[in-house]
């Protein structure tokens, strides 16, 4: 495996939309998502009205990479070997003793299933790996608190209601029908939730096109919501930026399914039409699969094996499947790199990497800030057994980053001003675990760094 990765070597650039090309104002969108799900549980399923009120600091609970152990009502933060580093029952943190009593110092029982395919949901667990469902973690935790208080339950049965709440708000027809709380609110106040695409990123997309690259937009959002987002963040001419737009892509299935299982469909007035037998030309499509897309890319580039790079923010839906099934290069957009745990090299202090205080006026803090309850997304301390010293270990989420991503960056903006032939150091198993982070690794991963984020 080469040590370096350069966009100049790629023929095709694919982009996810939500939280990749389209960045959200996270405190506001997290609150809206929480409210959308809570409203449904209270009004449609008769849950406690207290779920509708939210203390400003309670979103601190939301930390990417948490796994919900559905039957126990417990949330877990896992080490790379599958042992439980931290846990909570509902919102209440479990002590080290409680964790040992419940889970022992051994691999969590479902770890094999979760880790083999970065699978997100079974009937027994759910992995929270993106900002669209993360506020649901806080809601589920509060549901557990509420059920304990009223019923003293031991096994929990709320998950089916949570799934219904998600479907009610995000289903395909919801945008058109103004169904649920989420879409109507984003339609009415796009500026409150969406960040416009920085000029540097727009310029970069145009540069990629002028350099002869093929640009794809592949999103699981339906076409009507995709259009709203793109017009708002890129402008009414947004289609000019892309050769191919694929909406309702139903990732990760887009990468793992065969053409028979998941054919492409054309759209008329945002309604999906009949299945296509093959994909013959660039354009706007719905659903589909990476196999037929790749055949079209061969035709468009005139190459037998065009090189594709895909940018996305979800390990489960974007990065793992694009790498595992399609063998594409993958650039992981990881806003956690904006938290206060990023090491800024002394000579780059002046670079406006991100406006640090963007959300400081907000009561709600951005979800990528380090959670006080859960600690760092990347590393954590494993308490020693008996009188042994505690050790610093990587989280399972952190291991996935270096296993399945080519590189990881905080945002597209972070690389938009670099020359196209800039050589990034890629993550490679034989190199350091921090090699592929650009512009710099999380501070907590550097040697001898007693980081405040670990406390």
């Amino acid at each position: 495996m080469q040590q370096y990765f350069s966009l100049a070597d790629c023929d095709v650039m694919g982009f996810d939309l939500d939280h990749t090309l389209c960045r959200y104002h996270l405190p506001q969108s997290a609150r809206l998502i929480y409210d959308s799900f809570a409203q449904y549980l209270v009004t449609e399923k008769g849950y406690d009205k207290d779920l509708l009120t939210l203390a400003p600091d309670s979103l601190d609970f939301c930390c990417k990479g948490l796994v919900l152990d559905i039957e126990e009502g417990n949330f877990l933060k896992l080490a790379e070997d599958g042992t439980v580093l931290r846990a909570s029952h509902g919102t209440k943190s479990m002590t080290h003793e409680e964790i040992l009593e419940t889970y022992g110092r051994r691999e969590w029982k479902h770890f094999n299933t979760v880790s083999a395919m970065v699978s997100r949901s079974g009937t027994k667990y759910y992995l929270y790996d993106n900002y669209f469902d993360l506020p649901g973690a806080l809601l589920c935790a509060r549901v557990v608190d509420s059920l304990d208080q009223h019923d003293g339950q031991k096994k929990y049965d709320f998950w089916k209601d949570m799934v219904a709440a998600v479907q009610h708000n995000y289903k395909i027809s919801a945008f058109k029908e103004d169904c649920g709380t989420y879409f109507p609110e984003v339609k009415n106040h796009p500026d409150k939730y969406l960040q416009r695409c920085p000029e540097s990123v727009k310029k970069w997309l145009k540069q990629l096109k002028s350099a002869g690259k093929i640009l794809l937009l592949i999103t699981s959002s339906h076409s009507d919501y995709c259009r709203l987002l793109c017009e708002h963040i890129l402008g009414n001419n947004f289609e000019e930026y892309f050769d191919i737009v694929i909406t309702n892509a139903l990732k990760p299935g887009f990468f793992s399914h065969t053409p028979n299982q998941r054919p492409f469909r054309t759209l008329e007035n945002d309604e999906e039409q009949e299945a296509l037998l093959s994909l013959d030309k660039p354009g706007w499509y719905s659903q589909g699969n990476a196999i037929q897309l790749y055949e079209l890319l061969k035709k468009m580039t005139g190459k037998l094996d065009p090189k594709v790079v895909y940018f996305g923010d979800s390990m489960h839906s974007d990065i793992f499947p694009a790498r595992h099934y399609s063998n594409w290069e993958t650039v992981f957009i990881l806003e956690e790199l904006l938290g206060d745990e990023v090491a800024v090299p002394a000579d780059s202090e002046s670079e406006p990497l991100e406006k640090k205080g963007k959300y400081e006026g907000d009561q709600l803090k951005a979800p990528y800030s380090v959670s006080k309850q859960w600690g760092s997304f990347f590393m954590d301390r494993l308490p020693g057994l008996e009188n042994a010293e505690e050790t610093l270990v990587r989280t399972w989420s952190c291991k996935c980053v270096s296993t399945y991503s080519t590189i990881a960056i905080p945002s597209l903006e972070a690389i938009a001003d670099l020359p196209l032939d800039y050589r990034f150091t890629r993550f490679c198993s034989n190199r350091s675990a921090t090699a592929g982070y650009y512009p710099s690794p999380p501070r907590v991963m550097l040697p001898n760094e007693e980081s405040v984020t670990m406390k």
Side-chain angles (χ1 to χ4, degrees), residues 119-222:
S119 71
R120 194 160 66 190
S121 52
T123 48
K124 309 278 191 218
Y125 66 84
Y126 189 83
L127 164 66
Y128 285 93
D129 99 315
N130 70 76
Y131 290 127
F132 262 155
D133 55 12
L134 199 49
L138 172 61
L139 180 59
C140 286
R142 293 189 66 199
V143 165
V144 170
D145 292 351
S146 154
L147 292 173
D148 283 355
Q149 203 183 346
H150 297 120
D151 315 336
Q153 264 175 302
K154 278 292 156 272
K155 292 284 181 217
Y156 298 89
D157 191 26
F158 62 83
W159 185 246
K160 58 183 186 325
D161 297 333
M162 194 64 203
V163 170
V166 174
Q167 284 172 344
H168 177 72
N169 278 285
Y170 287 159
K171 64 183 178 193
I172 274 199
S173 58
F175 185 91
K176 195 149 93 184
E177 295 165 2
D178 274 337
C179 169
T181 311
Y182 182 81
F183 288 129
E185 176 63 16
V186 178
K187 271 188 200 176
N188 290 331
H189 306 285
D191 266 325
K192 180 175 176 185
Y193 300 104
L194 309 174
Q195 300 188 37
R196 292 183 190 270
C197 193
E199 286 306 316
S200 61
V201 173
K202 288 176 165 177
K203 194 173 125 196
W204 177 68
L205 292 172
K206 286 177 181 158
Q207 253 178 332
L208 292 172
K209 265 203 122 165
S210 336
K213 309 297 180 194
I214 290 172
L215 267 62
L216 319 171
L217 182 61
I218 307 176
T219 173
S220 292
S221 287
H222 191 40

Side-chain angles (χ1 to χ4, degrees), residues 208-331:
L208 292 172
K209 265 203 122 165
S210 336
K213 309 297 180 194
I214 290 172
L215 267 62
L216 319 171
L217 182 61
I218 307 176
T219 173
S220 292
S221 287
H222 191 40
S223 52
D224 45 15
Y225 186 54
C226 170
R227 189 175 289 107
L228 170 87
L229 295 184
C230 289
E231 284 178 357
H232 190 79
I233 65 163
L234 288 167
N236 292 344
N237 63 341
F238 73 89
E239 288 185 62
E240 291 171 13
Y241 288 94
F242 307 103
D243 297 280
I244 300 171
V245 175
I246 299 166
T247 49
N248 194 26
L250 304 169
K251 297 176 291 184
F254 180 84
F255 296 103
S256 60
H257 283 22
T258 63
N260 289 344
Q261 292 170 303
R262 191 62 67 71
F264 280 95
R265 297 173 183 276
T266 51
L267 286 159
E268 270 175 41
N269 302 324
D270 293 319
E271 296 288 335
E272 292 182 345
Q273 305 300 304
E274 277 164 34
L276 300 172
L277 291 175
S278 61
L279 196 62
D280 302 322
K281 58 181 195 292
W284 188 318
Y285 299 96
S286 196
Q287 296 197 33
N289 60 87
I291 296 170
Q292 287 178 316
L293 171 62
Y294 197 65
E295 289 306 313
L296 175 60
L297 295 174
K298 287 182 191 175
K299 247 177 20 186
M300 290 172 73
T301 56
K303 294 185 177 183
L304 278 175
D305 53 352
K307 194 167 174 183
V308 186
V309 58
Y310 189 64
F311 294 79
D313 71 293
S314 166
M315 185 52 69
H316 162 79
S317 306
D318 301 319
I319 302 302
F320 172 78
R323 165 62 51 88
H324 180 79
Y325 297 106
S326 304
N327 202 23
W328 292 357
E329 299 279 11
T330 50
V331 178

